[in-house]
Amino acid sequence: MESVLMQRAGAMNLLSFLMNDMTEENRKLKLIIFPGETVVIDEYGKRIVACPTEDEAEEYIREQEE
């Protein structure tokens, strides 16, 4: 059980780091890239959509910002 909690804690630390490290602060939608998917989140950290590739996620953001 402790192993699962440590994994979750590590994932939350990584997520926090990635969210704070985003360079385009003026964007309302941002990307979090995982090995199996790329997640688009809003300015509050809410998951909007998960895409299989980073390119598809970027395209989704472009379409939403038009």
Side-chain angles (χ1 to χ4, degrees):
M1 182 68 173
E2 183 177 336
S3 161
V4 172
L5 293 176
M6 292 301 291
Q7 287 176 347
R8 287 186 181 177
M12 291 304 294
N13 287 339
L14 175 60
L15 180 59
S16 176
F17 169 78
L18 292 173
M19 289 179 69
N20 290 332
D21 194 46
M22 293 178 183
T23 56
E24 296 185 49
E25 294 177 14
N26 60 340
R27 290 175 93 173
K28 292 187 183 211
L29 299 176
K30 301 179 187 212
L31 301 179
I32 301 177
I33 302 166
F34 295 103
E37 67 182 359
T38 299
V39 177
V40 178
I41 61 169
D42 67 11
E43 58 200 292
Y44 305 107
K46 181 180 174 192
R47 179 182 166 147
I48 303 300
V49 67
C51 300
T53 67
E54 185 176 351
D55 289 338
E56 288 179 71
E58 287 284 357
E59 181 179 346
Y60 176 85
I61 290 175
R62 281 193 301 275
E63 289 172 357
Q64 297 304 308
E65 291 180 343
E66 290 179 352

